[in-house]
Amino acid sequence: MLKPLFNPRSVAVIGASNRKLTIGYRIVQNLIDSEFQGPVFPVHPKDRFIKNLPAYPTIKDVPYDVDVAHIVVKSSLVPSVVEACGEKGVKAVIINSAGFKEVGGEGIELEKAVVEIAKKAGVRVFGPNCQGVMNSDPAVRAYCNFTFTPLRQGRVSLFAQSGGVGEVVNNRLFELGAGIRMYASNGNAADVDVCDILEYWGGDEGTRVIIVHIESLADPKRFLEVASKVARNKPVLGMKSGRTAMGARAVSSHTGGMIKRDTTTELIFKKAGIVSMSNEEEICQAAVALAAQPAAKGKRVGIVTNTGGPGIIVTDEVIEAGCSLPDLEESRQKALKEKLYPEATVSNPIDVLATAGPEHYRAAVEALIEDPNIDIAVIDFITPFFVDTEGVAREIVDLAGKASKPVLPVVMTNKLGWQKTLSIFKEAGVPVFDLPETGGRVAAVFAKHAELAARPSEQAPSLANIDKAQAEKIISNGTPKGGGYLSQPDAFELLAAYGIDSMPYGSAESSDQAAKIAAYVEFPVVLKVDSEDVVHKSDSGGIALNLADEDAVKKAADEMLGKFQDANLFLQKQAEPATELIVGAVRDDPAGHVIMFGLGGVFVELMQDVAFELAPMTRGEAANMLDSVKAKAILDGTRGRAPVDKSAITEILLRVSALVSDFPEIAELDLNPVFAYTKGSGAKVVDARIRVQN
Amino acid sequence: MLKPLFNPRSVAVIGASNRKLTIGYRIVQNLIDSEFQGPVFPVHPKDRFIKNLPAYPTIKDVPYDVDVAHIVVKSSLVPSVVEACGEKGVKAVIINSAGFKEVGGEGIELEKAVVEIAKKAGVRVFGPNCQGVMNSDPAVRAYCNFTFTPLRQGRVSLFAQSGGVGEVVNNRLFELGAGIRMYASNGNAADVDVCDILEYWGGDEGTRVIIVHIESLADPKRFLEVASKVARNKPVLGMKSGRTAMGARAVSSHTGGMIKRDTTTELIFKKAGIVSMSNEEEICQAAVALAAQPAAKGKRVGIVTNTGGPGIIVTDEVIEAGCSLPDLEESRQKALKEKLYPEATVSNPIDVLATAGPEHYRAAVEALIEDPNIDIAVIDFITPFFVDTEGVAREIVDLAGKASKPVLPVVMTNKLGWQKTLSIFKEAGVPVFDLPETGGRVAAVFAKHAELAARPSEQAPSLANIDKAQAEKIISNGTPKGGGYLSQPDAFELLAAYGIDSMPYGSAESSDQAAKIAAYVEFPVVLKVDSEDVVHKSDSGGIALNLADEDAVKKAADEMLGKFQDANLFLQKQAEPATELIVGAVRDDPAGHVIMFGLGGVFVELMQDVAFELAPMTRGEAANMLDSVKAKAILDGTRGRAPVDKSAITEILLRVSALVSDFPEIAELDLNPVFAYTKGSGAKVVDARIRVQN
């Protein structure tokens, strides 16, 4: 329970200082400047006063209850200080001091020791090596942090893994006049982590919107679970730094090779319903608007403007973001036409003309709000000097205040000359944007949030015909010592245990045996060398296609055994040609498995036209993968080709997802190709590689 | 010559008014407020004073010379007023009044009449239906406009086709403290156009950077010519509104169908060396930085930061924009290591740590400036309260002032608390950014400008083996009345006249004749119906492939003649299979022809993986098209395939470019497929459709 941390009734600063350029001074100063609503207890071994406050030699000398204690002493002293805090009954410590996990070696041990002591003593640890927390609630006003942005009450709570990013975003929210509700930047996160904080803010009524900045997730599974719950109730905006960092994946499979950026965090955001963003300015603007305006129900944007250019800019932005720009109902257009100047445009964007006054704006904005074709209204308003701009402002805020859809005004003006006009929006709590592109981009965030919120709340389905016990047996018997690739028969048997179809197969050790097996699986057959060393079979002569009879099989088998000594042979009935797909899974610890889907050949190799999802997938997510590749027209049938069996493909994706979720020891699974037949005729795995590694 | 327009010694306002909410009042007010350095002459039929100035009943009554006269009277009176201006010796009129071309009908005639009168009288016309011009030169300070942004002296000149966009950008430049050099928004552009203005600013020493906002180009060819010259001497940033507008192209060819966005303006920008941008905020930030800092020589970015997160944000931005982030030379890294804290990072981004002071920043920034691996330095600086931030600022501006590469500081701070630190940058004229992403994006603009500036100044090559006279004959004889598709023999003959290879061919009217021709062009042959009505031959049974002998040809010809009565038959030796390409050209009046290149089949149809250039192309541009498609690996040879003959493809592209440039009546040209053979073996056009339309 984080209540005492974010709502302390009293704060001690252990390591407080009278030297102005120290953290120990700054925290005391910030608590005072921000009008913290409880007592502040500086702790200093010698000084009797810190600033104007009486100081105490140790935490135990403080003659009152202490909820939160900052610890700003050198790291080696921290364990004993935490112990003392425990004895004093402190609820939570914020360890600002550095010198722990981040320095490696002994620091790691020191951090562990501190957490252990704290746990025993019943003290929660925030940090170490961190900034701290803030709460702008007028009943609290806790600035337990050493940063520079003044505390301004707002409705956006902000978690930042990077203190620098947190401070920049916090400062920008301050500049926008919006402020924050709560703030947390927890450094090494030895105890209180992002999940605890999200969970707490999820239940905090004053928090309308949450911003989460992530560099890396220590416990992605719990994050997903917690964030999913929270995002169902309030918008969560996520920002991941390090998007372009080339992952250190050296796996040679296509699946692994394809994940070049940090796709996984993006997938977690999507699955949790977090709107993924990459720009601090846009995050701030969107958060403020989301906190002040109703959520959107869809992505249909309506625009009102009094000059062409800015209206076009909003149009470009929202269309590029995948929104639509439908016209109003015809009757409404007609009615609106009556109320505007004759030269005005009533199609979307509605151009009320530069001379439009309050009544024109009222008519146009009202039309957008009432029209069932529109989910989000963006109002461009450049302030001509010959217009009653205050009147226009009053009409917009009046309508925005009553609307059940977001109304997003872009007010383009000289801020000094039109201060009064702007203050009408401010006093009404209707956030405005300076630039049309900002209005367009924020509209796109509302649309994205609507899309995420509209997803059915589905679970990964339970699938019939799964023999988990059999799969377990195959994996435990078939995995090479220390991990590695399953043999081909094991791989296909494992797939079969999870209800994933392939062609009849068998294995052989000699060419005679191969010929016999070939007859059994039925001609024509494919002959492959089955060896962990031969990864790209077709490049190295380890595969022979279309063998029509026993002689052909024998000849090919002899050649192959000559080339790859001691290798096993694997035979499989050759599949009828079909649309080639690739289905893959790669484990990205600790998040779990990323599932990949794409069309084979050039699509995957050259165009990198692939879709990713995080396992375990819901049926909706699996089906959505098929629609997410650019080449999807091929699946639907194009230029005389028949559509493929999409439900069979979806089924394979779901079963792969179930398999890797049930067996986290599968490090990599590569079904390449999968042959997809026409609708109703299923899909079959033609080649499979499965690597097991704990 | 636009000098009198932008540097008026005196300004008259015809239609000046004492009513405050009128344009005629506002212009007078703006001239006075901005401290125009010459006399202002209000002209009003009755009032003897406008504001504090004496007014004159007509322009002719003004007892002094007048360089510029605003005209703010109703449109029907404008012709006579312009005439009077001519008689008075006014150099240029700014017609703010509306009611001309933009209202259609009589307005169009009225505008023509005005221009004619002005021409006769030797008066330049700016507008009509426009804002006006501004010049912040202290010797001029002309605010000939009715907008609201105060005039602040700067080094960026701003042209905006949309007055609304112009005002928003101007206002933002003002807010950034940067101001403008000159401003122009010319409405209907009946006389003085964007080209005149660009040309004038090209020669204006006070203009360091030009921003051009375009909605549509009336004379793209002249724009290209003028802008190319100007952009060679100073950075030009271009913004095109209406990027997503679906073009009204209903042509059924792939080529036409592919141009969905306004690609043409983007191509003109690129060819002219204009940096294309889409965001007003970024345009302003980049313009200010480009005006203050040396140009970059390349795209290698070096970053200094004192906190991890913001450094990562800059990294993400510049990498995503195609920049690189090389490390410093090893010896320099070592030397730098000595000067920074032991825990600091000296690889790129250089993390000097939050506690870094002036000497650390100096060392790191100096290293970036001196290192030959780095073209652009981005300096992240979040202002910790325990650091001498003013000292850091002084070091940065000192180094930036002497550097021969751009130094872009991002100063993240509480603007009130660190006012003095910020003022150090301001006084030194070193622009700073608030957010790390802005720093990254502006660095990317410097990099893009460097790339454009580094292009060789090449002309379209003159090509051997071109028989222009023969081509002229084919087109004039072969074009159907009123325009339409050339016959197949004509199309291939036209290509041959421009040295573009195809397979031997012939045409026939009967199946017997077809059989004879087939023997002549050599078996196997392709038989096609040659009819304008049959556009997609393969979809409609209008094509028969791989006919091996006379009988096969006869049979196919009979079938085809049964299906397409009165159609001609076209026979061609079947080409050996090869890598399929598509080469196209489509006329986009009045800019000229857009050339398209892509790989055939799924690449063009599904993935829309195509490159565009504007004709006439240089050899560099043609070669670059091959590198611009995602599927380029196929051209270079991938997975055991041999590389194709890229120089032959480049040659075809250049010859197509020459053909359509020589014959603007070619509305559309579609070579699909072109077969590209292995290196040294050339490329051949297999199917061609050429539509001629004046």
Side-chain angles (χ1 to χ4, degrees), chain A residues 20-23 26 146-150 162-165 167-168 171-172 174-175 213 215 239-246 254 261 278-282 307-310 312-313 315-317 319-320 382-387 412-416 418 434-437 441 536 538-539 602-603 605-609 630-634 638-639 641, chain B residues 20-23 26 146-150 162-165 167-168 171-172 174-175 213 215 239-246 254 261 278-282 307-310 312-313 315-317 319-320 382-387 412-416 418 434-437 441 536 538-539 602-603 605-609 630-634 638-639 641:
Chain A
K20 291 203 170 185
L21 299 190
T22 61
I23 289 179
R26 185 67 178 198
F146 54 83
T147 48
F148 54 65
T149 303
S162 154
V165 172
E167 178 65 350
V168 170
N171 190 51
R172 188 67 189 129
F174 174 80
E175 285 178 357
H213 168 266
E215 286 183 341
M239 178 171 176
K240 169 73 175 73
S241 287
R243 305 190 298 281
T244 57
M246 300 296 167
H254 295 303
R261 329 181 338 148
S278 62
N279 180 298
E280 292 166 304
E281 176 71 16
E282 281 168 33
T307 47
I312 296 172
I313 290 177
T315 304
D316 281 348
E317 290 290 344
I319 293 288
E320 282 181 348
I382 193 162
T383 55
F385 64 88
F386 42 78
V387 161
M412 296 161 275
T413 192
N414 169 347
K415 292 191 182 100
L416 299 173
W418 275 259
D434 292 358
L435 295 174
E437 44 267 67
R441 289 176 185 194
H536 286 296
S538 57
D539 289 352
V602 294
F603 293 105
E605 281 166 27
L606 280 181
M607 312 304 283
Q608 309 202 342
D609 179 25
K630 274 180 125 185
K632 65 175 171 172
I634 289 184
T638 177
R639 284 232 166 176
R641 289 165 73 157
Chain B
K20 292 202 168 186
L21 299 191
T22 61
I23 289 179
R26 185 67 179 199
F146 54 82
T147 48
F148 54 65
T149 303
S162 154
V165 172
E167 179 64 350
V168 170
N171 190 51
R172 187 69 190 128
F174 174 79
E175 285 178 355
H213 168 265
E215 286 184 341
M239 178 172 175
K240 169 73 175 73
S241 287
R243 306 189 299 280
T244 56
M246 298 298 165
H254 294 303
R261 329 182 338 149
S278 63
N279 180 297
E280 292 165 303
E281 175 72 16
E282 281 168 32
T307 47
I312 296 171
I313 290 176
T315 304
D316 280 347
E317 290 291 344
I319 293 288
E320 282 181 347
I382 192 161
T383 55
F385 64 89
F386 41 77
V387 161
M412 296 160 275
T413 192
N414 170 349
K415 292 191 180 99
L416 298 174
W418 276 259
D434 292 357
L435 295 174
E437 44 266 67
R441 288 174 186 196
H536 286 296
S538 58
D539 289 352
V602 294
F603 294 105
E605 281 167 27
L606 280 182
M607 312 306 283
Q608 311 203 341
D609 179 26
K630 274 181 125 185
K632 65 175 171 173
I634 289 184
T638 176
R639 284 234 165 175
R641 290 165 71 156

Side-chain angles (χ1 to χ4, degrees), chain B residues 267-397:
Chain B
L267 296 177
I268 293 170
F269 281 177
K270 187 169 77 169
K271 215 175 173 81
I274 294 177
V275 182
S276 176
M277 302 186 66
S278 63
N279 180 297
E280 292 165 303
E281 175 72 16
E282 281 168 32
I283 275 211
C284 292
Q285 300 273 7
V288 173
L290 283 162
Q293 294 275 312
K297 302 231 163 43
K299 59 178 185 179
R300 300 167 305 167
V301 178
I303 301 171
V304 173
T305 190
N306 61 345
T307 47
I312 296 171
I313 290 176
V314 176
T315 304
D316 280 347
E317 290 291 344
V318 298
I319 293 288
E320 282 181 347
C323 299
S324 65
L325 214 74
D327 279 332
L328 305 191
E329 293 180 330
E330 249 179 66
S331 58
R332 202 177 312 272
Q333 286 190 52
K334 252 186 217 158
L336 183 57
K337 188 94 198 155
E338 299 292 304
K339 295 178 187 165
L340 301 181
Y341 288 119
E343 301 84 6
T345 309
V346 295
S347 56
N348 195 1
I350 298 168
D351 189 343
V352 292
L353 302 185
T355 41
E359 69 280 19
H360 306 103
Y361 262 97
R362 180 166 196 97
V365 175
E366 208 163 29
L368 287 187
I369 290 174
E370 287 174 4
D371 199 280
N373 294 344
I374 300 295
D375 300 309
I376 303 163
V378 179
I379 317 302
D380 271 349
F381 177 39
I382 192 161
T383 55
F385 64 89
F386 41 77
V387 161
D388 172 10
T389 57
E390 290 163 29
V392 171
R394 275 189 294 269
E395 297 297 347
I396 295 174
V397 304

Side-chain angles (χ1 to χ4, degrees), chain B residues 125-178:
Chain B
V125 174
F126 191 90
N129 184 33
C130 71
Q131 285 185 354
V133 303
M134 292 151 88
N135 184 352
S136 74
D137 185 334
V140 182
R141 295 207 55 89
Y143 198 129
C144 298
N145 196 352
F146 54 82
T147 48
F148 54 65
T149 303
L151 188 62
R152 173 169 281 171
Q153 197 191 344
R155 292 177 285 194
V156 177
S157 288
L158 165 60
F159 173 86
Q161 205 164 355
S162 154
V165 172
E167 179 64 350
V168 170
V169 173
N170 185 21
N171 190 51
R172 187 69 190 128
L173 287 168
F174 174 79
E175 285 178 355
L176 290 173

Side-chain angles (χ1 to χ4, degrees), chain A residues 334-569:
Chain A
K334 252 186 218 161
L336 184 56
K337 187 95 198 156
E338 299 292 305
K339 296 178 186 165
L340 301 182
Y341 288 119
E343 301 84 8
T345 309
V346 294
S347 56
N348 195 1
I350 299 168
D351 188 344
V352 292
L353 302 185
T355 41
E359 69 279 19
H360 305 105
Y361 261 97
R362 179 165 195 97
V365 175
E366 207 163 29
L368 287 187
I369 289 174
E370 287 174 3
D371 199 280
N373 294 344
I374 301 296
D375 300 310
I376 303 163
V378 179
I379 317 301
D380 271 349
F381 178 39
I382 193 162
T383 55
F385 64 88
F386 42 78
V387 161
D388 172 10
T389 57
E390 290 163 28
V392 171
R394 274 190 294 268
E395 296 297 347
I396 296 174
V397 302
D398 178 52
L399 292 166
K402 294 183 290 193
S404 61
K405 53 179 88 163
V407 176
L408 308 173
V410 179
V411 182
M412 296 161 275
T413 192
N414 169 347
K415 292 191 182 100
L416 299 173
W418 275 259
Q419 225 162 2
K420 204 166 160 201
T421 300
L422 286 169
S423 73
I424 291 168
F425 290 98
K426 196 167 178 174
E427 278 158 25
V430 176
V432 302
F433 311 106
D434 292 358
L435 295 174
E437 44 267 67
T438 313
R441 289 176 185 194
V442 169
V445 175
F446 273 85
K448 185 72 196 165
H449 176 248
E451 184 192 324
L452 289 168
R455 295 173 311 161
S457 106
E458 234 185 321
Q459 297 294 316
S462 67
L463 303 162
N465 298 324
I466 285 189
D467 187 344
K468 196 170 163 185
Q470 170 67 2
E472 199 154 359
K473 224 167 71 189
I474 296 164
I475 292 175
S476 71
N477 295 337
T479 305
K481 264 205 189 98
Y485 286 95
L486 296 183
S487 73
Q488 288 283 292
D490 280 349
F492 282 101
E493 220 179 307
L494 181 59
L495 293 175
Y498 267 68
I500 300 168
D501 262 8
S502 53
M503 303 300 287
Y505 59 84
S507 54
E509 289 179 4
S510 68
S511 58
D512 285 341
Q513 202 183 355
K516 267 181 221 148
I517 298 284
Y520 162 74
V521 303
E522 288 182 17
F523 292 104
V525 302
V526 185
L527 178 68
K528 304 174 193 171
V529 62
D530 183 11
S531 156
E532 203 180 327
D533 303 335
V534 190
V535 169
H536 286 296
K537 298 182 197 76
S538 57
D539 289 352
S540 53
I543 186 161
L545 296 167
N546 225 0
L547 305 174
D549 52 35
E550 297 199 6
D551 284 350
V553 169
K554 262 191 201 166
K555 200 179 150 221
D558 281 332
E559 265 174 36
M560 227 170 259
L561 287 170
K563 213 178 278 173
F564 306 100
Q565 266 122 35
D566 301 326
N568 279 329
L569 298 174

